Amino acid sequence: AVLMCRGKAVRDFTGPDCRFVNFKKGEAVYVYYKLIGEPPELWAGSVGSDFGYFPKDLLEINHNYTNEELELPTDVSFGYF
């Protein structure tokens, strides 16, 4: 996976199920995938050693690692789950 960007959580988030990653406000979140075609727009990334989806609106981007946008249709299943 290509690390796309790093951001900071703007508020606490607890996902509805195990495919989501939970985080607290201010935690660093690393983004690997942007999922398109499903509102609200979900991104996939890691917080510490946990990996999962989260709503992109909850992230304040503070560093971009690549200019390549890796967008995947939401019906793609990752090997992580």
Side-chain angles (χ1 to χ4, degrees):
V2 177
L3 182 57
M4 296 178 57
C5 58
R6 184 186 72 222
K8 190 174 66 177
V10 295
R11 64 178 174 84
D12 294 1
F13 173 68
T14 303
D17 62 47
C18 64
R19 292 173 306 165
F20 289 79
V21 66
N22 303 328
F23 47 72
K24 301 274 186 221
K25 180 179 178 178
E27 278 193 300
V29 182
Y30 293 87
V31 181
Y32 292 92
Y33 302 104
K34 295 179 180 183
L35 295 150
I36 52 175
E38 177 180 323
E41 214 169 320
L42 295 177
W43 287 358
S46 62
V47 179
S49 59
D50 297 327
F51 185 94
Y53 301 122
F54 58 89
K56 77 176 190 103
D57 309 353
L58 301 187
L59 205 61
E60 176 188 301
I61 302 301
N62 44 30
H63 190 84
N64 279 306
Y65 292 101
T66 175
N67 292 324
E68 289 180 43
E69 296 274 304
L70 182 60
E71 296 186 329
L72 298 173
T74 47
D75 58 358
V76 170
S77 63
F78 302 123
Y80 295 98
F81 306 119

